[in-house]
């Protein structure tokens, strides 16, 4: 294990002072003894091993689509790093304008490259691509397990080895459906969450103790450096993470709302400033070099991120939420059934408690302040997503854990119905004394609801977005068995595969994974785009009237060919297959140079698009001339509901019927 965090455990005198809960005497309660250090070390290793196995299973079972950033801000640039610019990876505008740090996708890019070097020598292409699809899940499962592990370890540092509260925090993070749904996804927010809770564990919390206490602050520079390095990486990945650390530093230095007298001396401030500069500069240097190698020139993504999203207000283009979004939706979605306990924990942490030591109380106050200040600041920004406050979830688990334990247990020596203790004794009673469960029906209902949410979200909510690209890849392997290389795209213009657009996605942009699942660069695919209005001024008429390609496809039309209240036919006729346009009227083409008249082998869309396609190919003069005979060849259930009407219903694949001779041409080509 790495260096332990710089935090002092309560003294025996403090333990006696806070144990004011009166329980009936009982000879059955064993005396409290501190576990031997070797026992504790073995226990820590066992917990970490179990968490690694648990999150590995979590990652393998998870088979649904959540949000595009899981793929387009991590795996697509990673695929580009591993297999090159001609691999067909879809790099969104954020990567073209250097808004994102290359550190996060570099983790997966290196893994892709190493795995390809090994697997390509052992397995056939179909097995290799299947393994590469799973590889990021396995890597992320390790990060997810470490996030759970450090949640438990930080809770142990705060409440002590002899407390049951850390175990409650561990069970909360394991049983949280949001954690099951998101922690093993390759979001930068998921890695940010792990980095944040690990950095908080290594942070020197002794800075918050009372200078008049008998304990002396135990400086641990190595622990501080680990904390600062982890925090710096988190900030580079997501600049908003800085808000958490500003909150922690503000209370440590100013001691606002904290109890006791500050032990911080001028020399302490000097050491803190020195280490922040050294560690921050080291991480920044690594990031700059990584970005220089990836982008090909010197750039600073955090600045670009702030410029485009804040100064140019482009984040609003992806959604505008009310100011109370994080309060009314964000925190409830993160904590789900633990919400009442999280709210109690946040409230109780803002005031001093006689049942806690000064150091414990101050740590909880600081964590609560970090949560409240980050939520308040992000609430001012128009574009909001639950993922943006995801790093706060482990903190919420720790704050809520004492009250979850208090509510569902009672000391074993007392009658199960005894409720004489008050909420303020939550942490006092949470020692390793034997306890008995109570409110068992409520607990069973809570756990059952969490289990049902986890099962539905991981298996049944938007699974077709994942399975459709697997279907397309296996179809490509069947139809073009001689084009299954990950290293190159066919360069011979006589190659029949060069002439074929394999799939056209008429869906809201980024509705499915892309090259990380399609794999083969010869599998050319095209999709509608949703680039923001980069060169329009905030508040301008051009900005307000701007419609991206996906918007134009779904724009209601007054044309009779679209039908009453219909959409899409005008777009297909005038843009997608409007003579002289390339790449489908500006749509993303993952390889080759398609013309305006290029027709795909397969069209992918949600079932509501079928009427649009038939109105165009059967009812429009230009559509009839294209000779397309739609045939449904695959469909997948995509969940019981979807908040976006454009994604409602099943996801369907239609064969256009225009490539019946391609297989024969390819066989002749390779003979």
């Amino acid at each position: 294990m790495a260096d332990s965090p710089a935090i002092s455990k309560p003294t025996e005198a403090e333990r006696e002072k806070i144990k004011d809960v009166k329980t009936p005497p009982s000879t059955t309660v064993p005396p409290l003894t501190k576990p031997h250090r070797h026992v504790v070390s073995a226990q820590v290793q066992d917990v970490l091993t179990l968490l690694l196995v648990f999150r590995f299973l979590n990652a393998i079972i998870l088979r649904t689509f959540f949000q595009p950033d899981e793929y387009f801000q991590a795996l697509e640039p990673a695929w580009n790093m591993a297999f090159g610019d001609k691999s067909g990876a879809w790099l969104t505008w954020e990567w073209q304008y250097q808004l994102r740090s290359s550190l996060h996708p570099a983790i997966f890019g290196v893994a892709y490259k190493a795995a390809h070097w090994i697997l390509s020598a052992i397995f056939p292409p179909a097995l290799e691509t299947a393994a590469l699809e799973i590889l990021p899940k396995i890597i992320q499962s390790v990060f997810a397990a470490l996030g759970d592990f450090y949640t438990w370890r930080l809770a142990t540092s705060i409440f002590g080895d002899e407390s049951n509260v850390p175990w409650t925090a561990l069970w909360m993070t394991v049983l949280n459906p949001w954690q099951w749904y998101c922690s093993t996804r390759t979001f930068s927010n998921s890695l940010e969450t792990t980095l944040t809770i690990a950095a908080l564990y290594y942070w020197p919390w002794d800075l918050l103790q009372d200078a008049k206490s008998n304990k002396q602050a135990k400086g641990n520079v190595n622990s501080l450096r680990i904390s600062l390095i982890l925090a710096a990486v988190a900030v580079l990945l997501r600049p908003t993470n800085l808000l958490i650390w500003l909150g922690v530093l503000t209370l440590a230095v100013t001691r606002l709302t904290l109890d006791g007298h500050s032990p911080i001396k001028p020399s302490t401030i000097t050491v803190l400033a020195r280490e922040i500069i050294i560690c921050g500069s080291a991480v920044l240097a690594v990031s700059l070099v990584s970005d220089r190698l990836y982008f090909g020139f010197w750039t600073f993504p955090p600045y670009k991120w702030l410029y485009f999203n804040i100064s140019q207000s482009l984040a609003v283009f992806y959604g505008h939420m009310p100011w109370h979004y994080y309060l009314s939706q964000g925190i409830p979605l993160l904590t789900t059934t633990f919400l009442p306990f999280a709210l109690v924990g946040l409230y109780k942490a803002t005031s001093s408690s006689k049942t806690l030591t000064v150091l414990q109380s101050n740590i909880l106050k600081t964590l609560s302040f970090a949560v409240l200040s980050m939520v308040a600041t992000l609430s001012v920004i128009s574009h909001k997503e639950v993922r943006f406050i995801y790093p706060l979830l482990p903190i919420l688990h720790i704050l809520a854990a004492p009250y979850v334990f208090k509510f569902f247990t009672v000391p074993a020596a007392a009658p199960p119905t005894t409720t004489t203790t008050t909420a303020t004794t939550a942490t006092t009673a949470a020692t390793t004394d034997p306890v008995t469960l109570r409110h068992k029906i409520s607990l069973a209902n809570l756990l059952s609801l969490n289990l049902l949410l986890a099962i539905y979200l991981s298996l049944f909510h938007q699974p077709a977005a994942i399975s459709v690209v697997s279907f397309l890849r296996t179809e490509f392997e069947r139809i073009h068995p001689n084009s299954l290389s990950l290293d190159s795209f066919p360069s011979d213009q006589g190659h029949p595969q060069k002439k074929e657009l394999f799939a056209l996605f008429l869906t809201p942009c980024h509705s499915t994974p892309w090259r990380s699942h399609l794999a083969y660069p010869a599998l050319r695919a095209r999709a509608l785009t949703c680039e923001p209005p980069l060169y329009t001024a905030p508040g301008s008429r051009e900005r307000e009237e701007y419609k991206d390609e996906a918007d134009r496809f779904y724009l209601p039309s007054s044309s009779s060919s679209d039908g009453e209240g219909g959409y899409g036919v005008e777009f297909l006729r005038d843009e997608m297959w409007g003579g002289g346009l390339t790449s489908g009227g500006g749509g993303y083409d993952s390889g080759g140079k398609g013309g305006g008249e290029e027709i795909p082998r397969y069209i992918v869309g949600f079932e509501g698009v079928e009427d649009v396609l038939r109105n165009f190919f059967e009812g429009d003069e230009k559509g009839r001339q294209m000779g397309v005979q739609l045939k449904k060849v695959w469909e997948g259930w995509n969940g019981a509901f979807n908040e976006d009407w454009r994604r409602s219903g099943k996801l369907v694949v239609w064969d256009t019927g225009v490539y019946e001779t391609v297989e024969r041409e390819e066989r002749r080509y390779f003979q």
Side-chain angles (χ1 to χ4, degrees):
M1 296 300 296
D3 294 308
S4 299
I7 178 171
S8 302
K9 300 295 189 296
T11 63
E12 292 298 325
E14 287 174 326
R15 288 195 184 102
E16 293 300 324
K17 179 181 178 181
I18 65 176
K19 288 184 178 180
D20 56 357
V21 179
K22 306 299 182 180
T23 58
S26 173
T27 59
T28 63
V29 180
L32 291 177
T33 58
K34 190 170 184 177
H36 192 276
R37 62 186 179 86
H38 293 303
V39 175
V40 173
S41 177
Q43 182 185 67
V44 169
Q45 294 176 11
D46 290 342
V47 169
L48 180 57
T49 300
L50 289 173
L51 287 173
L52 288 169
V53 173
F54 176 74
R55 287 304 175 193
F56 173 79
L57 295 175
N58 183 177
I60 298 301
I61 292 172
L62 190 66
R63 296 296 300 169
T64 54
F65 183 89
F66 179 28
Q67 289 183 334
D69 282 8
E70 178 182 358
Y71 305 100
F72 293 92
Q73 303 302 347
L75 301 188
E76 289 303 303
W79 195 274
N80 177 259
M81 292 178 184
F83 299 105
D85 294 335
K86 295 183 179 180
S87 63
W90 186 343
L91 298 181
T92 60
W93 71 276
E94 292 98 329
W95 293 98
Q96 297 173 25
Y97 288 87
Q98 306 88 47
L99 271 73
R100 305 287 182 178
S101 169
S102 61
L103 289 178
H104 182 225
I107 297 171
F108 304 106
V110 171
Y112 276 144
K113 193 70 175 179
H116 174 58
W117 184 74
I118 297 172
L119 297 176
S120 60
I122 303 174
F123 298 118
L127 287 179
E128 181 190 355
T129 55
L132 291 178
E133 179 181 330
I134 297 173
L135 180 62
K137 293 173 174 283
I138 298 174
I139 296 172
Q140 185 59 40
S141 72
V142 175
F143 295 140
L146 290 174
D148 298 333
F149 175 76
Y150 280 111
T151 300
W152 173 62
R153 294 300 292 154
L154 178 56
T156 301
S157 297
I158 297 171
F159 299 106
D161 295 329
E162 301 173 9
S163 172
N164 284 310
V165 171
W167 295 102
T168 305
L170 178 61
W171 279 110
M172 289 173 67
T173 188
V174 167
L175 296 173
N176 187 312
W178 177 272
Q179 282 287 78
W180 179 270
Y181 187 48
C182 290
S183 67
T184 59
R185 297 184 184 274
T186 54
F187 291 119
S188 61
N189 311 90
S190 300
L191 179 57
E192 177 197 7
T193 300
T194 296
L195 292 170
T196 301
I197 192 61
L200 288 171
Y201 169 72
Y202 289 109
W203 179 253
W205 293 107
D206 276 355
L207 296 176
L208 303 183
Q209 71 181 20
D210 187 359
K212 293 186 177 181
S213 67
N214 294 327
K215 299 190 299 296
Q216 296 295 322
K218 297 185 297 183
N220 190 332
V221 177
N222 289 335
S223 177
L224 172 62
R225 287 171 179 168
I226 294 173
S227 176
L228 291 175
I229 288 173
L230 294 172
V233 175
V235 170
L236 282 174
L237 293 182
R238 303 286 307 179
T240 52
N241 191 265
L242 182 63
L243 297 172
I244 295 176
W245 297 102
L246 288 177
V248 171
L249 281 171
T250 296
L251 261 64
V253 174
T254 66
R255 214 162 177 89
L256 292 172
T257 75
L258 300 187
D259 300 323
H261 296 78
S262 176
I264 296 179
K265 302 175 181 178
S267 60
T268 308
I269 298 293
T270 301
V271 172
L272 271 177
R274 181 195 70 198
E275 296 301 326
I276 289 173
I277 293 173
I278 292 175
C279 295
S281 299
V283 172
L284 180 60
V286 172
S287 177
L288 288 173
V289 171
S290 175
D291 293 333
R292 173 65 176 82
L293 293 173
Y294 178 63
F295 293 112
F297 51 87
W298 296 107
T299 185
F300 188 50
Y303 167 75
K304 293 290 190 75
W305 186 90
L306 291 170
Y307 173 75
F308 279 101
N309 285 314
I310 307 300
S311 177
Q312 295 298 309
S313 300
L314 286 176
V316 182
F317 183 73
Y318 294 102
H320 185 283
M321 301 299 179
W323 67 267
H324 55 78
Y325 173 82
Y326 290 123
L327 299 176
S328 60
Q329 299 183 50
I331 293 178
L333 286 173
L334 284 179
T335 55
T336 57
T337 54
F338 299 124
L339 175 62
F341 304 103
L343 295 178
V344 171
L346 277 171
Y347 172 73
K348 292 289 185 180
T350 59
S351 58
S352 302
S353 173
K354 295 181 180 180
T355 65
L356 298 171
T357 66
V358 171
L359 180 57
Q360 287 175 323
S361 178
N362 287 344
I363 293 174
L364 296 180
K365 283 183 178 180
T366 302
L367 294 177
S368 177
F369 179 76
V371 171
L372 297 175
S373 60
M374 185 175 189
V375 170
T377 304
L378 293 183
S379 294
V380 177
I381 301 174
S382 298
H383 180 58
K384 304 176 181 68
E385 292 185 35
V386 183
R387 294 184 295 115
F388 297 168
I389 60 169
Y390 188 12
L392 300 179
L393 182 56
I395 300 175
L396 292 171
H397 283 150
I398 292 172
L399 293 173
Y403 305 98
V404 172
F405 179 81
K406 171 65 173 60
F407 185 79
F408 288 112
T409 66
V410 67
T417 56
T418 301
T419 57
T420 56
T421 57
T422 64
T424 60
T425 64
T427 54
T428 303
T431 65
T432 51
D433 292 329
V435 294
T436 300
L437 286 177
R438 62 174 178 172
H439 301 147
K440 295 180 181 179
I441 295 178
S442 297
L443 180 61
N445 290 335
L446 180 149
L447 296 180
S448 297
L449 181 56
N450 283 1
L451 180 62
L452 290 174
L453 284 172
I455 291 174
Y456 174 76
L457 291 173
S458 60
L459 295 176
F460 302 109
H461 188 63
Q462 300 191 92
I466 305 296
S467 52
V468 69
V469 285
S470 297
F471 166 78
L472 292 172
R473 189 180 72 235
T474 55
E475 279 293 286
F476 184 84
E477 293 166 348
R478 178 184 65 83
I479 297 171
H480 302 291
N482 297 306
S483 301
L484 307 183
S485 171
L486 296 177
D487 295 315
S488 62
F489 184 86
S491 58
D492 185 354
Q493 294 299 325
H495 194 300
Q497 179 57 29
K498 188 72 175 180
K499 303 175 182 179
E500 179 182 356
L501 177 64
F502 197 76
L504 168 64
F505 288 77
L506 292 178
T507 62
C509 70
H510 306 145
S511 289
T512 68
W514 201 252
R515 197 55 53 183
S516 61
H517 286 58
L518 295 174
Y520 308 109
L523 194 168
R524 291 181 52 227
R526 185 186 300 164
L528 302 178
T529 62
C530 53
E531 304 294 320
L534 296 174
Y535 300 107
T536 60
S540 65
R541 182 176 179 181
E542 292 81 1
R543 174 75 63 90
E544 294 176 358
E545 295 179 351
Y546 176 80
K547 301 292 182 184
D548 62 46
E549 190 179 42
D551 288 337
R552 296 197 301 274
F553 174 70
Y554 287 100
L555 193 65
S557 173
S558 58
S559 172
S560 59
S561 59
D562 280 315
E564 184 177 356
Y567 62 90
V569 172
E570 280 188 2
F571 176 87
L572 295 178
R573 180 182 63 244
D574 300 334
E575 290 197 51
M576 181 63 67
W577 286 295
L581 297 179
T582 61
S583 297
Y588 179 76
D589 183 358
S590 65
K593 293 183 179 180
E597 299 296 333
E598 194 171 14
I599 305 172
R601 174 185 288 272
Y602 294 118
I603 296 178
V604 182
F606 292 94
E607 59 183 349
V609 174
E610 183 167 6
D611 290 339
V612 175
L613 295 176
R614 297 201 179 279
N615 285 340
F616 176 68
F617 290 121
E618 298 174 6
D620 185 86
E621 181 178 355
K622 184 171 185 177
R624 289 195 300 268
Q625 293 174 356
M626 297 172 68
V628 171
Q629 298 294 324
L630 290 178
K631 178 183 177 182
K632 186 184 296 185
V633 294
W634 184 92
E635 65 179 11
W637 191 70
N638 205 45
F641 65 93
N642 199 297
E643 63 276 8
D644 187 346
W645 67 269
R646 301 173 301 174
R647 292 185 170 96
S648 61
K650 297 178 180 178
L651 194 58
V652 182
V653 178
W654 294 274
D655 190 332
T656 60
V658 299
Y659 285 92
E660 295 179 355
T661 62
V662 169
E663 293 88 342
R664 293 195 296 271
E665 292 180 11
E666 190 168 48
R667 284 194 294 269
R668 287 198 301 269
Y669 179 85
F670 285 102
Q671 286 177 353

